């Protein structure tokens, strides 16, 4: 019996709608991975500022960020469990670099394991978020 398709969604917390208490409402998913505090923002590398996570240079920066390979392996193992997720959403501040790049890397890892993957990037096309405020507290 074939394993179900896994949907992967990247998003940016700063682009999400908010609930009545002002908290961002992430997409519905079996697992939401907030990487704002887990992975360094690759947008600090000036040569990739105007690129997004579909670009190999952005993916290389994300891949080489401390903790990224472990996170990808953890999510891939989780997705392979018999009762694993059908939908994983990965969010960062703007959804253009970390979340998008990590989602693409995870999709590649899962395809290498023989899984069928559907990928959606909610905010990749939006301009880079420019803010001097610290990133918001993660929603859980």
């Amino acid at each position: 019996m074939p394993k179900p398709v896994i949907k992967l969604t990247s998003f940016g917390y700063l682009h999400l709608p908010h609930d009545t208490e002002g908290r961002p409402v992430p997409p519905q998913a079996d697992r939401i991975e907030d990487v704002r505090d887990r992975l360094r923002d690759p947008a600090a590398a000036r040569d990739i500022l105007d690129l997004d996570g579909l670009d190999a240079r952005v993916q290389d920066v994300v891949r080489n960020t401390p903790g990224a390979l472990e996170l990808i392996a953890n999510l891939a193992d989780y997705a392979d469990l018999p009762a694993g997720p059908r939908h994983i959403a990965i969010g960062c501040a703007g959804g253009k670099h970390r979340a998008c790049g990590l989602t693409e890397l995870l999709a590649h890892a899962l395809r290498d394991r023989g899984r069928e993957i559907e990928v959606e990037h909610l905010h990749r096309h939006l301009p880079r978020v420019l803010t001097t405020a610290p990133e918001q507290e993660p929603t859980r």
Side-chain angles (χ1 to χ4, degrees), residues 13-26:
Y13 279 93
L14 297 176
H15 298 296
L16 293 174
H18 290 76
D19 65 15
T20 57
E21 296 180 18
R23 294 179 301 226
V25 179

Side-chain angles (χ1 to χ4, degrees), residues 4 18 44 52 54 56 58 62 100 111 124 129 135:
H18 290 76
D52 60 44
L54 297 183
V58 175
V62 171
C100 182
R111 286 182 182 119
R124 174 186 71 79
V129 175
E135 291 186 343

Side-chain angles (χ1 to χ4, degrees), residues 8-110:
L8 303 178
T9 301
S10 72
F11 68 94
Y13 279 93
L14 297 176
H15 298 296
L16 293 174
H18 290 76
D19 65 15
T20 57
E21 296 180 18
R23 294 179 301 226
V25 179
Q28 292 291 316
D30 300 317
R31 178 165 174 173
I32 298 172
E33 198 64 44
D34 182 347
V35 299
R36 292 177 292 176
D37 292 333
R38 294 186 72 180
L39 300 179
R40 179 182 68 245
D41 187 355
R46 294 191 185 279
D47 61 328
I48 65 168
L49 284 178
D50 295 322
L51 304 175
D52 60 44
L54 297 183
D55 191 283
R57 290 174 286 179
V58 175
Q59 291 176 24
D60 284 343
V61 171
V62 171
R63 181 185 300 107
N64 291 312
T65 300
L69 292 177
E70 293 82 3
L71 179 56
I72 292 166
N74 175 278
L75 290 170
D77 288 346
Y78 174 62
D80 268 347
L81 292 173
R86 301 238 175 142
H87 189 182
I88 297 173
I90 300 173
C92 66
K96 189 173 183 90
H97 296 105
R98 282 175 287 189
C100 182
L102 193 70
T103 298
E104 288 295 320
L105 293 168
L106 178 58
H108 182 75
L110 288 169

